Amino acid sequence: MSTGSRLSTTDWAVLASLLECEAHGFRIAALLAPDGELGQIWRVQRAQVYRAIERLLARGLIEAVRHEEGLAGPPRTLYRATPLGQSQALEWLNQPVTRLRYGRSDLRLKLAFLLRLECSLKPLLQAQEAVYRQILRELEAQQPLQATGVQRVSLLWRLEMARASLRFVEQMQEPEDATHN
């Protein structure tokens, strides 16, 4: 993932949104706005969307396909992911996060995009479960109950976050009808 490895979460979100269909920046910004469908997971201001589009264009991950007349204002440029952009975005979507704190943003964003694309969550969730189990083992090996002071605060917090993150991934793997009892 050399071309995209330096992309921000916002860059990835803009790129992944273009896997669904061609779109202009305003549509992507609406999707990621606080009241947009994905805004509850990752909020992006319109100016950030347009900066991400510029970065993605410069890296050859997206391309402009045509202009579309807007209801007001100048014509809007529609973009789509290039084949390189498509492969990198799909790779990112299926790659587990390696830090607990990214579960709150990147992991949930990946799951949301996979659902929107009607892709299986199973490969990502299984890989994520393995990562979280490893993190949990490493934290437990540090014996947080025997730690003192600030180290105890940090270890106990991370341990509980690892447990909660693992439970989340396990629940996401359960059949949907089993979770609605």
Side-chain angles (χ1 to χ4, degrees), residues 133-146 155 159 163:
R133 284 192 189 286
Q134 180 61 33
I135 290 171
L136 185 57
R137 280 192 297 274
E138 290 170 5
L139 289 170
E140 289 171 339
Q142 294 179 43
Q143 301 179 344
L145 295 176
Q146 295 175 8
L155 283 173
L159 184 61
R163 288 176 179 149

Side-chain angles (χ1 to χ4, degrees), residues 133-170:
R133 284 192 189 286
Q134 180 61 33
I135 290 171
L136 185 57
R137 280 192 297 274
E138 290 170 5
L139 289 170
E140 289 171 339
Q142 294 179 43
Q143 301 179 344
L145 295 176
Q146 295 175 8
T148 60
V150 175
Q151 183 183 23
R152 180 180 169 90
V153 170
S154 178
L155 283 173
L156 286 175
W157 178 260
R158 293 189 69 228
L159 184 61
E160 288 307 312
M161 289 301 98
R163 288 176 179 149
S165 298
L166 183 57
R167 278 193 311 273
F168 168 75
V169 169
E170 289 170 342

Side-chain angles (χ1 to χ4, degrees), residues 2 17 34 38 45 60 70 77 80-81 84 91 99 102-103 105 173:
S2 59
S17 70
L38 297 179
Q45 295 176 2
T77 303
R80 70 174 168 216
L84 176 63
E91 185 179 338
R99 303 194 65 158
Y102 296 135
S105 55
Q173 292 181 76

